[in-house]
Amino acid sequence: MSETFKVCFCCSRSFKEKTRQPPGSIKRLFEAYSRNGKMSSDDLLRFVSEVQGEGHAGMDYVQGIFNSVKHHNVFHIHGFVHLNAFYRYLFSDTNSPLPLSRQVHHDMKAPLAHYFVYTGHNSYLTGNQVNSRSSVEPIVQSLRKGVKVIELDLWPNPSGNAAEVRHGGTLTSHEDLQKCLNAIKENAFYVSDYPVIVTLEDHLPPNLQGKVAKMLTRTFRGMLFRSDSESCKNFPSPEELKKKILISTKPPKEYLESQAIQSSRRTPVDRATSWSGTTNMSWRGENKIPEEDEEDEESEAVGYRDLIAIHAGNCKSGLEDCLRDDPEKPRRISVNEQWVENVVRTRGSDVVRFTQRNLVRIYPKGTRVDSSNYDPHVGWTHGAQMVAFNMQGHGKQLWTMQGMFKANGGCGYVKKPRILLDSQRLFDPCKRLPIKTTLKVKIFTGEGWDLDFPQTHFDQYSPPDFFVKIGIAGVPRDTVSYRTETAVDQWFPIWKQEFLFQLSVPELALVCFRVQDYDNDTHNDFAGQTCLPLPELKSGIRAVRLHDRAGKPYKNSRLLVSFYFDPPYTGINAELPKIINQRTMEVLGTLDIVIVGAGISGLSTAVGLHRLGIRSMVLESSDKLRATGFAFTTWFNAWKAMEALGVSQHVRDLHDLLQGWVVGHISPGNPSKEMLFPKSEEYESRCVQRKVLLEALADELPQGTIRFSSKVVHIELSGYYKMVHLSDGTILKTKVLVGCDGVKSVVGKWLGFKNPATTSRLAIRGLTHFAQGHGFGKKFFQFYGNGVRSGFIPCDHNTVYWFLTHTDEETSPENIKEFVLNKIKDLPENIKSVVETTDLDSMVMSRLKYRPPWELLWANIAKDNVCVAGDALHPMTPDIGQGGCSAMEDGVILARCLGEAIKAKGETEDEGERYKRIEQGLKKYAGERKWRSIDLITTSYTVGFIQQSTGKWMNLLRDKFLSSFLSRLLLKKSHFDCGSLVPT
């Protein structure tokens, strides 16, 4: 079937319609837990226990899964599950990443100051802060979403005889106070029975304060909580305050002057319904509201004061007084976001201490007239309970707020983690803490947009091009974001990308997703978002439901994502690990082979060994696979290596076969020469994206082979073993150590290699994507002259890789694009457009380096069962395109030599004999690679020198006589077959 998009009245575009098919990784998972294409209840129970981490699950749980997908009509007659039913279960709400039940599961018996509370700002406004309409509707909507703090601004009406709700000093309309109070009364406990706090920004004279006191009393009656005690050590708990409405505002000035009289006017009933100085349990009865004709004749100010359960104040009297903690009476202060940002730079721990007993309310700064919001973590990481937000706004800050309060059953109260409540060891968010856990997130696929959006919502003439932005919102050290590749023209995109997040304070972290449709010419289209509180995140493969900009869930749009913690994370209120001065060293079990570096040579070696049945561990210093340089041209030798490793067909399918190249001078007036490649496997050439190749190799390895964030800092010998020290204190004990860690190789330095030589040339590389196709065909365009060499190579129909090498001074990153365009100003417009459309974050600049070939004549490529490969062995200039290709050669040959040595094990062999056998295998590898490496380094340097040299005679010699020779030389060096993994 095909999907058609109408371009004009006479033309249309058709795309092959893709259906909801499980990705290959899900199919393989199903096969591992099923028999003959069907999964029994016992199989499903094993899956949810082992993969999903549902250790509590029993047959009742499994039956619930069966019931959730039985309407798909894809069961065997005896209750077995087909692949499609299993896939539907994975995408169902039953498989949520958060606890299914909306039950409250935090301890709700602690003082109110121990909780984050879902808080609104100017809760009555429908839009901006300047001229929008005031209404009860935003109040109703907020309460029904779980907001538990409602703010009302009270001002006298124009006649001065009544109070009204409005944003003073603006053009916003007003709303009737009684309507607002009724809305609060009717919706306060819609989501949960936990208390609602009404904060009053009071701008009223005493007579109107008295009227407001009567309105509050008549409206809320028994719901209204009154505090009578002048001395209490802590606020009551949310559990004690169930079904109560608390008023919080500044005490009236008149009351402060008559405070001495106040205590004599309290009734016994009042005292029974307040919290005392030693316990919060003295108010167990219902509030009894006196009849109006029995009301005391006290002043309006004192009557208004009686209703204030939480005293509020500001910070106008100085910082010390503001953060003063009165042990006899907790209070609330209200400050704006700028005040907090300024204070926490130097007094962050003092703010944390203050919030352990007192309440802090933070509100948006006055310049946010558009009802935008700020980063809530500024408040949360310092213990602020009431981070007040404009709920009528949109944006990632509000999505973070909504995500935080999905926790604890969405009741509007989230227990603060213990790190914020420890009075002995005060938490400082600015302090660099040790990594507590690593969250591994793998995004498989997504679906549902075709049901939630019209066909042409994202793109008028084609299916959408989705990508996902994923990140952590938390303390500064943990906050980071990444994005997937773009899945072009797919309603059902498949990404299969994994991201790692190192977390020092997971208790305060959220993992956030945002899906967008890529648009080359306009802003990317929004396609859904969600934020999930990390302390409640469930491990396993989960269906992540997406929401619209306002936070309302879409009916169908979801992502399929796996979450795993390493080490396992215990969730809410996990204690902060003790920081010790001396680093603890952890020595893991003995390993056969450790490979340093998850680049092309490292992964090629690991895959080769894996195919020979030999397990290895790959250490990568980064937290994910790195694709420095974006892409490279692959020739005959690279494809022979990929065929040996078993990844060639997958890589071929994703990249266009180049038909030839076009070579010309970078200056105008010089005709270009075109050379077509013969149709033979010896001339197969494609421009391969490094990331695609690395992921293809990584997918061939067993899970856990690559150990990310593992930087090698020291290597030492211990008998027949190598002790590899990592920056996190771990020590790995291995029989064989392979250095594939690039030009600054730690392993190479241990072997005695010098740092690579630096040339006078720099390389700028870039990758750009054309959503509608680049139009270059399938040819390699190369231009040289004036000390410059540049190339433009299509990877596929939409993607172009380009480079420029030059001998000028280094350029600042923000000026790279302008610099390149100046160098190629005389080239055709379509060539220049490639650079013009490249994002700055898709460009890199680096100094070209190489290893002088004579160093390899006497270097120790292998010693003590330690060796090097790839750029650690033979860094070279890119002029013959053999850096990545030869790295794959290294991997295949090294795996073959090691495999041959390891598998030739004798029956009575001791450790020393095994050591010598492996040593001979590595010497064989070193002998095979030494002369090949010398040849490639020398040729590459020479070709680069000729191509970028300037001068009249050199230009004439190169253009007339050497250009065709250099092309033939390049092809000649690529005609190398590394052979298979098994020796012939």
Side-chain angles (χ1 to χ4, degrees), residues 391-453:
M391 297 298 169
Q392 72 274 31
H394 295 144
K396 64 181 182 180
Q397 290 84 8
L398 184 58
W399 302 339
T400 303
M401 173 70 72
Q402 292 166 344
M404 170 65 89
F405 288 99
K406 289 175 184 172
N408 199 23
C411 72
Y413 285 80
V414 173
K415 184 79 157 50
K416 287 159 61 171
R418 292 176 186 173
I419 55 173
L420 291 172
L421 302 173
D422 189 341
S423 59
Q424 301 302 314
R425 191 171 59 235
L426 288 172
F427 176 66
D428 184 355
C430 297
K431 188 174 182 179
R432 190 173 178 85
L433 298 172
I435 299 300
K436 188 177 293 186
T437 188
T438 297
L439 173 64
K440 300 178 180 180
V441 182
K442 186 171 185 177
I443 304 177
F444 292 96
T445 183
E447 68 170 38
W449 294 282
D450 59 322
L451 301 174
D452 290 329
F453 297 91

Side-chain angles (χ1 to χ4, degrees), residues 166-236:
R166 61 182 167 88
H167 190 24
T170 68
L171 301 177
T172 58
S173 65
H174 70 274
E175 183 55 278
D176 182 68
L177 174 59
Q178 187 61 60
K179 288 182 180 179
C180 294
L181 298 181
N182 290 341
I184 294 172
K185 176 184 177 182
E186 293 164 7
N187 297 277
F189 310 111
Y190 182 88
V191 170
S192 74
D193 288 346
Y194 292 102
V196 166
I197 301 171
V198 181
T199 61
L200 302 178
E201 291 299 312
D202 172 12
H203 306 276
L204 301 174
N207 65 314
L208 293 186
Q209 289 177 342
K211 288 186 177 183
V212 168
K214 293 177 182 178
M215 290 176 69
L216 293 170
T217 301
R218 281 196 302 266
T219 303
F220 297 138
R221 300 187 65 79
M223 295 180 182
L224 197 62
F225 176 78
R226 299 210 218 186
S227 166
D228 181 50
S229 176
E230 289 302 317
S231 177
C232 66
K233 293 185 178 180
N234 285 301
F235 290 112

Side-chain angles (χ1 to χ4, degrees), residues 535-598:
E536 305 209 355
L537 197 62
K538 296 198 292 185
S539 294
I541 301 172
R542 302 292 176 178
V544 175
R545 194 171 186 182
L546 297 175
H547 300 66
D548 64 16
R549 292 181 186 274
K552 182 179 178 181
Y554 289 122
K555 186 176 180 180
N556 302 287
S557 298
R558 289 169 171 81
L559 296 173
L560 191 62
V561 182
S562 70
F563 302 98
Y564 291 103
F565 292 97
D566 181 22
Y569 171 56
T570 55
I572 188 70
N573 289 331
E575 291 190 17
L576 189 68
K578 293 181 180 179
I579 304 173
I580 55 177
N581 294 328
Q582 188 171 5
R583 188 173 60 189
T584 301
M585 295 294 186
E586 178 190 4
V587 181
L588 302 185
T590 303
L591 302 165
D592 286 333
I593 301 172
V594 168
I595 300 168
V596 183

Side-chain angles (χ1 to χ4, degrees), residues 943-957:
V943 169
F945 175 79
I946 293 172
Q947 287 186 330
Q948 289 201 231
S949 295
T950 57
K952 180 178 179 181
W953 292 108
M954 178 57 76
N955 289 343
L956 177 65
L957 180 64

Side-chain angles (χ1 to χ4, degrees), residues 327-497:
E328 298 300 322
K329 181 74 174 178
R331 59 196 172 101
R332 171 177 77 83
I333 62 170
S334 192
V335 293
N336 68 36
E337 58 174 292
Q338 280 183 318
W339 184 93
V340 176
E341 289 173 357
N342 292 333
V343 168
V344 298
R345 291 192 187 111
T346 56
R347 303 287 295 274
S349 296
D350 292 334
V351 176
V352 172
R353 179 189 288 109
F354 181 79
T355 59
Q356 290 175 348
R357 288 187 61 253
N358 304 279
L359 300 178
V360 171
R361 174 181 172 268
I362 303 173
Y363 57 90
K365 59 186 177 183
T367 55
R368 294 189 182 275
V369 295
D370 58 349
S371 293
S372 60
N373 290 299
Y374 51 98
D375 179 7
H377 274 93
V378 174
W380 291 335
T381 54
H382 292 88
Q385 299 86 351
M386 300 180 182
V387 178
F389 260 37
N390 295 307
M391 297 298 169
Q392 72 274 31
H394 295 144
K396 64 181 182 180
Q397 290 84 8
L398 184 58
W399 302 339
T400 303
M401 173 70 72
Q402 292 166 344
M404 170 65 89
F405 288 99
K406 289 175 184 172
N408 199 23
C411 72
Y413 285 80
V414 173
K415 184 79 157 50
K416 287 159 61 171
R418 292 176 186 173
I419 55 173
L420 291 172
L421 302 173
D422 189 341
S423 59
Q424 301 302 314
R425 191 171 59 235
L426 288 172
F427 176 66
D428 184 355
C430 297
K431 188 174 182 179
R432 190 173 178 85
L433 298 172
I435 299 300
K436 188 177 293 186
T437 188
T438 297
L439 173 64
K440 300 178 180 180
V441 182
K442 186 171 185 177
I443 304 177
F444 292 96
T445 183
E447 68 170 38
W449 294 282
D450 59 322
L451 301 174
D452 290 329
F453 297 91
Q455 183 192 43
T456 58
H457 177 84
F458 298 108
D459 289 311
Q460 190 72 26
Y461 307 121
S462 66
D465 308 314
F466 289 131
F467 66 90
V468 183
K469 288 186 175 180
I470 175 175
I472 293 292
V475 297
R477 182 183 180 183
D478 295 349
T479 301
V480 66
S481 64
Y482 304 107
R483 60 163 285 178
T484 66
E485 292 180 340
T486 302
V488 180
D489 295 338
Q490 295 183 40
W491 282 107
F492 308 104
I494 294 176
W495 293 287
K496 298 188 301 183
Q497 289 182 261

Side-chain angles (χ1 to χ4, degrees), residues 68 70 174 180 215 241 257 287 313 335 342 357 394 440 458 502 537 548 597 607 629 653 736 777 825 903 913:
S68 72
K70 65 184 179 182
H174 70 274
C180 294
M215 290 176 69
L241 295 171
E257 296 170 353
N287 289 43
V335 293
N342 292 333
R357 288 187 61 253
H394 295 144
K440 300 178 180 180
F458 298 108
Q502 291 186 317
L537 197 62
D548 64 16
V607 171
D653 291 342
V736 179
K825 61 181 183 297
K903 292 197 168 186
E913 291 172 327

Side-chain angles (χ1 to χ4, degrees), residues 615-902:
R615 185 72 185 266
S616 63
M617 175 179 280
V618 182
L619 305 179
E620 171 54 47
S621 61
S622 180
D623 58 0
K624 62 178 180 178
L625 293 175
R626 291 186 290 180
T628 306
F630 301 115
F632 67 101
T633 311
T634 54
W635 304 93
F636 172 80
N637 56 329
W639 292 107
K640 283 297 181 183
M642 282 188 270
E643 286 170 4
L645 297 171
V647 298
S648 58
Q649 194 54 52
H650 174 74
V651 177
R652 280 188 178 106
D653 291 342
L654 298 175
H655 299 89
D656 288 343
L657 176 65
L658 297 177
Q659 298 170 347
W661 56 35
V662 177
V663 181
H665 200 279
I666 204 161
S667 300
N670 295 286
S672 299
K673 296 180 180 179
E674 185 171 345
M675 174 183 172
L676 296 179
F677 298 146
K679 293 182 179 179
S680 165
E681 70 166 4
E682 294 185 2
Y683 294 92
E684 179 179 5
S685 178
R686 302 170 195 264
C687 186
V688 171
Q689 294 184 63
R690 286 179 181 267
K691 190 173 184 181
V692 172
L693 175 60
L694 292 177
E695 289 174 351
L697 292 168
D699 286 345
E700 295 294 316
L701 297 172
Q703 188 172 7
T705 299
I706 305 175
R707 192 181 195 270
F708 291 100
S709 302
S710 300
K711 184 179 180 180
V712 176
V713 294
H714 181 61
I715 303 165
E716 61 179 334
L717 287 178
S718 177
Y720 293 122
Y721 298 94
K722 272 59 65 181
M723 308 300 286
V724 183
H725 296 246
L726 306 185
S727 59
D728 63 359
T730 303
I731 302 174
L732 302 175
K733 184 179 180 181
T734 181
K735 298 173 185 176
V736 179
L737 180 63
V738 180
C740 301
D741 43 343
V743 294
K744 297 180 180 179
S745 172
V746 176
V747 180
K749 188 175 181 179
W750 186 87
L751 285 170
F753 279 96
K754 298 178 181 178
N755 289 330
T758 301
T759 72
S760 61
R761 300 160 60 202
L762 290 109
I764 300 172
R765 301 176 175 94
L767 193 75
T768 190
H769 182 84
F770 294 86
Q772 304 301 324
H774 48 66
F776 282 105
K778 300 177 182 179
K779 294 178 182 177
F780 181 159
F781 291 82
Q782 185 172 219
F783 305 92
Y784 54 84
N786 303 331
V788 170
R789 175 174 170 259
S790 64
F792 301 82
I793 321 168
C795 298
D796 53 38
H797 177 68
N798 301 96
T799 309
V800 177
Y801 166 67
W802 60 268
F803 65 85
L804 182 138
T805 59
H806 64 92
T807 54
D808 289 359
E809 293 296 321
E810 196 162 339
T811 308
S812 61
E814 61 271 17
N815 295 326
I816 287 179
K817 182 182 291 189
E818 182 182 352
F819 176 84
V820 174
L821 289 173
N822 182 57
K823 290 292 183 182
I824 63 171
K825 61 181 183 297
D826 296 319
L827 294 183
E829 291 298 324
N830 63 334
I831 294 290
K832 290 189 287 187
S833 70
V834 174
V835 178
E836 289 171 345
T837 56
T838 305
D839 295 332
L840 280 179
D841 58 3
S842 294
M843 299 182 193
V844 293
M845 177 173 58
S846 59
R847 178 75 62 179
L848 296 183
K849 297 181 179 183
Y850 73 103
R851 188 173 304 289
W854 52 85
E855 286 187 9
L856 291 179
L857 290 173
W858 51 79
N860 287 314
I861 297 175
K863 181 182 73 171
D864 296 324
N865 289 357
V866 179
C867 70
V868 285
D871 280 347
L873 170 60
H874 47 63
M876 64 185 76
T877 59
D879 301 286
I880 59 172
Q882 280 297 318
C885 299
S886 59
M888 282 186 277
E889 292 178 17
D890 293 343
V892 173
I893 295 171
L894 177 55
R896 181 173 64 235
C897 293
L898 272 174
E900 187 178 7
I902 291 172

